Amino acid sequence: MIPDLQCSVLCDDVRQENNGKFILIGLFDSLRLRALPSGHRLCVVNRWCCGVGTFKQLTRFVGPDGVDPIAVGREVEIKLNAQEQTATSVEVFLNPVFKTPGVHWVEILLDGQLRLRYPLVVVPPQPER
């Protein structure tokens, strides 16, 4: 049974406590960069639930044209042994380069099928005063 993507969150960093809980630091939906082109460290946290089996997750960032990839993660194995089980993946993208302002896209694929696509707005640099 194919799992549901319970959530996908962009943040600056992720910590995991001894009890297994995740702490997400600096959640965002837009980037205000000082200059373009420029890079920014990005973490993507995905939570899967209500499925059974082994799957391959792929996360990618796509430019404003909706086609050209800016960064593509590695395939992450998602394994769920029962419907009530959850699986959380954390991917760190070290400074993918954003060349232009505008709406970029975060895409989450499972076994090659697009499961979620959401915007990441790159705000143009503001002139210094």
Side-chain angles (χ1 to χ4, degrees), residues 32-82:
R32 186 174 304 274
L33 302 172
R34 293 179 190 233
L36 291 173
S38 185
H40 185 81
R41 175 191 161 105
L42 304 165
C43 295
V44 179
V45 180
N46 293 320
R47 167 72 61 87
W48 299 91
C49 66
C50 300
V52 176
T54 301
F55 309 91
K56 296 288 185 187
Q57 170 195 285
L58 183 70
T59 302
R60 62 186 179 201
F61 291 88
V62 178
D65 64 2
V67 177
D68 292 326
I70 299 223
V72 179
R74 294 167 42 180
E75 278 195 338
V76 175
E77 185 177 275
I78 303 298
K79 188 172 184 175
L80 296 164
N81 294 318

Side-chain angles (χ1 to χ4, degrees), residues 6 12 16 31 34 55 62 76 120:
Q6 185 179 17
D12 291 319
Q16 189 170 18
L31 290 175
R34 293 179 190 233
F55 309 91
V62 178
V76 175
L120 169 60

Side-chain angles (χ1 to χ4, degrees), residues 31-33 35-38 62-65 70 97-104 120-126:
L31 290 175
R32 186 174 304 274
L33 302 172
L36 291 173
S38 185
V62 178
D65 64 2
I70 299 223
V97 176
F98 294 90
K99 297 178 182 175
T100 60
V103 179
H104 293 65
L120 169 60
V121 178
V122 175
V123 179
Q126 301 299 310

